[in-house]
Amino acid sequence: MKLKNRILPYYQAIPKLLSFQVVSFIVLSVLTWGISALCGLLLGLSGKAAVTSGDLMFLFTHWQGYVMIALTLLMVVCYIAVELNAQVIYCARLIDGEKPSIWQSIKEGFAAMKKYLNLRGVLIILYSVLIAPILGLGFSVSLTQSFYIPRFIMSVIQATPLFLTAYIIAIVALTIIMFIYIFIVHGALLDGMTMKEASVNSRHLMKKNWKNFIVEAICFTVLTLFVAALVVIVCSVLPLLIVQLIPMSESVSIFLNVLFCSFLVVSVAVMALLSVSFLIIKLTTLYKKYTAEDGWEYQPHEKKRHPLVITAAVLAVVLCVAFSIFSTMNFNEVFRSQVTTEIIAHRAGGVEAPENTVKGIEVAYELGAKGCEIDIQRTSDGHYVVNHDADFERVAGVSKTPNEMTLSEVKQLRVDGEPVPTLEEMLDASRNKVILFVELKGETADDRMADDAVRIIKEKGMEDQTVLISLKYDILDYIEQKYPEMQTGYLAFISFGQVENTPFDYLALEEEISTDETIASVHAKGKKIMVWTVNEEDDLDYFMNTDADAVITDSVKLSGEIKEKLAQRKPLEIILQRVSSLIQ
């Protein structure tokens, strides 16, 4: 097939697809806002500010929780109806040369949801909403495109051969399943089949055409990447290179750099907006080709002018110019040229020293860490020792838990040559050096641990140098109620609602939910926010350049190096880094 014929269906569809995306975005935004507002009202009636990873049981123990689950399912139905069903219907009619109605397609998309009222339909929804975004395979709705396996869980999977093998097998199996049933939605929506009939049809089509499908998929991917790279080069890379080569004042240079980077952001946003539609068009053309008895080919449409698209393009250019002027005049405020994010050493010293040891605190302090996070658990005789895992197997070769050992027995263990410290010893080591974030951890994390930890900290006179943190909401709430003078910090990797209204001094949020909007809302409530656990260089580079108060990291030395590098950036580097974060 000629290159022109491969590109033409997508090129001619762009105006219509952009219109569909804008309308569907508005529809889903209104529905999402309405459902979210109802969930917020239900949370308010229950006396809660948010549902997080530390108190998910609320959803299954209160009537408000059950209603919220139902509303969330309704939201999922809306996204499947619009972004999958309606888009397949709309694209099919578009490439057939018809003049499809966006509203009619959306209406039919909702009507088609009855076809999902069976096991196969439910599995398709689960795949699109959960599995596809988490594994990065196939179609996923925008509602859950950011879903992923939390990094702290993924690190366990990668470090455990059995888990890693199971994970790889799962990816391979799900990829094969995705290819076999790739046309199931098309059969159900375009040819009126039941999900069972459509699944049989999809298996038959892939068995007969799998070689051609692979070739077409490769060509589509290569062509898409080529066009995307060409757009990036033309809109941004070449102009930016030219700007660097021509002598000019700093203000003019900043203006032009911001302008061409703005063009890049707009171009990438448009390509991202169209990417799913292009994928659906490709699958739809292949479905028609494989199912047509006499063969099927795309028939080019008459060339038309599209004044709305031209107007939108002109408006985008005007907005980019206006933003560039404003940014040039307020550069430091717009692009966060100052680095204020501090470093908190995970497990006392991160990877720079034996974890959860006095030496770890000493090394972290020498490397410039502002604080150290440790994990305490109770021994069988009521003392508090520092250990991250449920037992000492990984760090000391003993499979017993702290609660199964006395303090004297724990003191015989060694972590890379260092003794297992008590809470008291870690407080002494951190005094006037770093803030100690004490995580109440494990099966012994209860109200008794909270009472004892507060008592020990007060005996040391270190209330102002210590923060009590936990994944368990109830324990921290207990501390806030009984010891309001103590600083508390809540660890969460899932959050829905106004997490900034939780009654804690610090919020330590997992990377994915630590958005600019969340950080700003937390600060607006006078609280501090930390991001955990940030270890990769790119992630550190990103979060050290946000308004987060701190990052919790194992890579203390690397974090310090990145912070120093960020402080020495030139204007173009600052702009490009901000652009990179927006594109991500």
Side-chain angles (χ1 to χ4, degrees), residues 34-206:
I35 292 173
S36 298
L38 286 174
C39 288
L41 178 62
L42 290 168
L43 281 173
L45 291 174
S46 69
K48 296 182 68 64
V51 176
T52 59
S53 49
D55 57 348
L56 287 177
M57 287 307 298
F58 163 82
L59 295 174
F60 308 100
T61 55
H62 296 73
W63 70 265
Q64 294 96 333
Y66 288 113
V67 177
M68 287 176 63
I69 292 173
L71 289 172
T72 301
L73 292 175
L74 176 61
M75 191 184 300
V76 169
V77 167
C78 292
Y79 274 81
I80 292 293
V82 175
E83 291 191 338
L84 180 56
N85 295 354
Q87 196 161 193
V88 168
I89 294 169
Y90 186 82
C91 289
R93 291 173 180 168
L94 190 61
I95 62 177
D96 276 340
E98 301 179 25
K99 296 180 179 179
S101 164
I102 297 175
W103 294 108
Q104 181 62 28
S105 298
I106 292 176
K107 180 180 177 180
E108 292 180 23
F110 275 100
M113 287 307 301
K114 62 179 178 291
K115 288 182 174 291
Y116 292 84
L117 299 177
N118 50 71
L119 179 59
R120 288 177 175 82
V122 171
L123 290 175
I124 292 172
I125 293 175
L126 287 175
Y127 192 96
S128 301
V129 174
L130 294 177
I131 299 173
I134 288 176
L135 298 182
L137 299 171
F139 174 86
S140 60
V141 295
S142 60
L143 178 68
T144 58
Q145 277 181 347
S146 61
F147 277 18
Y148 74 114
I149 299 175
R151 293 178 187 267
F152 71 96
I153 295 178
M154 196 63 209
S155 63
V156 174
I157 292 175
Q158 293 173 341
T160 309
L162 180 60
F163 291 166
L164 183 59
T165 301
Y167 177 72
I168 294 172
I169 292 173
I171 290 179
V172 172
L174 290 169
T175 302
I176 294 172
I177 292 172
M178 180 194 70
F179 278 114
I180 293 174
Y181 296 103
I182 196 75
F183 295 121
I184 187 172
V185 173
H186 288 80
L189 299 182
L190 303 184
D191 289 330
M193 301 179 187
T194 65
M195 284 296 179
K196 182 177 181 180
E197 292 169 341
S199 63
V200 173
N201 181 59
S202 183
R203 287 201 305 268
H204 172 73
L205 291 177
M206 287 305 295

Side-chain angles (χ1 to χ4, degrees), residues 59-350:
L59 295 174
F60 308 100
T61 55
H62 296 73
W63 70 265
Q64 294 96 333
Y66 288 113
V67 177
M68 287 176 63
I69 292 173
L71 289 172
T72 301
L73 292 175
L74 176 61
M75 191 184 300
V76 169
V77 167
C78 292
Y79 274 81
I80 292 293
V82 175
E83 291 191 338
L84 180 56
N85 295 354
Q87 196 161 193
V88 168
I89 294 169
Y90 186 82
C91 289
R93 291 173 180 168
L94 190 61
I95 62 177
D96 276 340
E98 301 179 25
K99 296 180 179 179
S101 164
I102 297 175
W103 294 108
Q104 181 62 28
S105 298
I106 292 176
K107 180 180 177 180
E108 292 180 23
F110 275 100
M113 287 307 301
K114 62 179 178 291
K115 288 182 174 291
Y116 292 84
L117 299 177
N118 50 71
L119 179 59
R120 288 177 175 82
V122 171
L123 290 175
I124 292 172
I125 293 175
L126 287 175
Y127 192 96
S128 301
V129 174
L130 294 177
I131 299 173
I134 288 176
L135 298 182
L137 299 171
F139 174 86
S140 60
V141 295
S142 60
L143 178 68
T144 58
Q145 277 181 347
S146 61
F147 277 18
Y148 74 114
I149 299 175
R151 293 178 187 267
F152 71 96
I153 295 178
M154 196 63 209
S155 63
V156 174
I157 292 175
Q158 293 173 341
T160 309
L162 180 60
F163 291 166
L164 183 59
T165 301
Y167 177 72
I168 294 172
I169 292 173
I171 290 179
V172 172
L174 290 169
T175 302
I176 294 172
I177 292 172
M178 180 194 70
F179 278 114
I180 293 174
Y181 296 103
I182 196 75
F183 295 121
I184 187 172
V185 173
H186 288 80
L189 299 182
L190 303 184
D191 289 330
M193 301 179 187
T194 65
M195 284 296 179
K196 182 177 181 180
E197 292 169 341
S199 63
V200 173
N201 181 59
S202 183
R203 287 201 305 268
H204 172 73
L205 291 177
M206 287 305 295
K207 182 178 180 180
K208 183 179 179 180
N209 301 284
W210 68 271
K211 292 182 180 179
N212 178 263
F213 183 88
I214 291 175
V215 171
E216 291 288 346
I218 292 173
C219 290
F220 174 78
T221 302
V222 170
L223 189 58
T224 301
L225 293 176
F226 172 77
V227 172
L230 187 63
V231 170
V232 169
I233 291 171
V234 171
C235 291
S236 185
V237 175
L238 285 178
L240 285 173
L241 287 174
I242 293 172
V243 170
Q244 311 317 308
L245 295 174
I246 300 176
M248 60 187 71
S249 66
E250 184 180 41
S251 59
V252 174
S253 175
I254 290 176
F255 168 78
L256 291 175
N257 286 330
V258 174
L259 179 63
F260 292 125
C261 284
S262 299
F263 289 161
L264 173 62
V265 171
V266 172
S267 300
V268 171
V270 172
M271 288 189 292
L273 201 63
L274 292 171
S275 60
V276 173
S277 294
F278 283 172
L279 174 61
I280 289 178
I281 283 182
K282 183 61 184 179
L283 292 175
T284 306
T285 57
L286 289 177
Y287 179 78
K288 289 181 175 292
K289 174 183 174 182
Y290 296 157
T291 56
E293 294 181 1
D294 300 326
W296 181 91
E297 289 186 4
Y298 173 74
Q299 299 300 319
H301 305 162
E302 293 182 13
K303 293 183 179 180
K304 295 181 180 180
R305 292 184 178 181
H306 299 280
L308 288 178
V309 175
I310 296 173
T311 302
V314 172
L315 181 61
V317 172
V318 171
L319 290 175
C320 286
V321 171
F323 174 73
S324 301
I325 294 173
F326 177 81
S327 298
T328 303
M329 298 172 63
N330 304 275
F331 185 79
N332 292 335
E333 291 76 12
V334 173
F335 289 99
R336 296 196 194 99
S337 57
Q338 304 298 318
V339 182
T340 58
T341 304
E342 300 289 356
I343 301 167
I344 308 298
H346 187 224
R347 305 183 195 182

Side-chain angles (χ1 to χ4, degrees), residues 223-511:
L223 189 58
T224 301
L225 293 176
F226 172 77
V227 172
L230 187 63
V231 170
V232 169
I233 291 171
V234 171
C235 291
S236 185
V237 175
L238 285 178
L240 285 173
L241 287 174
I242 293 172
V243 170
Q244 311 317 308
L245 295 174
I246 300 176
M248 60 187 71
S249 66
E250 184 180 41
S251 59
V252 174
S253 175
I254 290 176
F255 168 78
L256 291 175
N257 286 330
V258 174
L259 179 63
F260 292 125
C261 284
S262 299
F263 289 161
L264 173 62
V265 171
V266 172
S267 300
V268 171
V270 172
M271 288 189 292
L273 201 63
L274 292 171
S275 60
V276 173
S277 294
F278 283 172
L279 174 61
I280 289 178
I281 283 182
K282 183 61 184 179
L283 292 175
T284 306
T285 57
L286 289 177
Y287 179 78
K288 289 181 175 292
K289 174 183 174 182
Y290 296 157
T291 56
E293 294 181 1
D294 300 326
W296 181 91
E297 289 186 4
Y298 173 74
Q299 299 300 319
H301 305 162
E302 293 182 13
K303 293 183 179 180
K304 295 181 180 180
R305 292 184 178 181
H306 299 280
L308 288 178
V309 175
I310 296 173
T311 302
V314 172
L315 181 61
V317 172
V318 171
L319 290 175
C320 286
V321 171
F323 174 73
S324 301
I325 294 173
F326 177 81
S327 298
T328 303
M329 298 172 63
N330 304 275
F331 185 79
N332 292 335
E333 291 76 12
V334 173
F335 289 99
R336 296 196 194 99
S337 57
Q338 304 298 318
V339 182
T340 58
T341 304
E342 300 289 356
I343 301 167
I344 308 298
H346 187 224
R347 305 183 195 182
V351 297
E352 319 299 341
E355 69 175 66
N356 275 321
T357 62
V358 168
K359 186 175 181 179
I361 289 181
E362 294 171 348
V363 171
Y365 173 68
E366 292 172 359
L367 291 173
K370 180 73 171 181
C372 290
E373 180 268 350
I374 65 171
D375 311 275
I376 64 169
Q377 300 184 53
R378 189 167 56 242
T379 63
S380 61
D381 52 350
H383 295 275
Y384 292 91
V385 294
V386 185
N387 187 56
H388 179 274
D389 298 351
D391 58 34
F392 290 103
E393 176 66 32
R394 179 176 59 84
V395 295
V398 175
S399 59
K400 290 184 177 181
T401 66
N403 199 32
E404 295 172 336
M405 303 174 70
T406 63
L407 176 61
S408 61
E409 290 173 332
V410 171
K411 278 299 184 180
Q412 296 176 25
L413 304 178
R414 291 295 179 268
V415 180
D416 292 334
E418 294 295 315
V420 176
T422 61
L423 172 58
E424 291 88 343
E425 290 169 333
M426 296 299 263
L427 287 167
D428 290 336
S430 65
R431 184 186 299 275
N432 299 324
K433 292 182 179 178
V434 295
I435 297 174
L436 196 64
F437 293 84
V438 182
E439 181 176 353
L440 310 184
K441 191 73 172 282
E443 61 182 13
T444 58
D446 52 17
D447 291 352
R448 175 186 169 188
M449 178 185 284
D451 290 332
D452 290 342
V454 170
R455 173 181 53 79
I456 293 170
I457 291 168
K458 287 187 172 183
E459 287 175 353
K460 295 289 184 179
M462 293 182 64
E463 294 93 324
D464 294 336
Q465 298 180 52
T466 309
V467 181
L468 293 171
I469 65 175
S470 182
L471 283 161
K472 299 182 178 182
Y473 187 100
D474 291 343
I475 293 178
L476 292 180
D477 194 43
Y478 170 80
I479 296 173
E480 280 290 331
Q481 296 292 330
K482 190 172 181 179
Y483 308 104
E485 69 278 11
M486 300 298 297
Q487 296 185 83
T488 54
Y490 181 43
L491 298 164
F493 55 88
I494 295 174
S495 173
F496 177 80
Q498 296 178 313
V499 67
E500 66 274 11
N501 286 333
T502 50
F504 311 117
D505 304 294
Y506 286 79
L507 286 172
L509 304 181
E510 210 274 337
E511 293 179 50

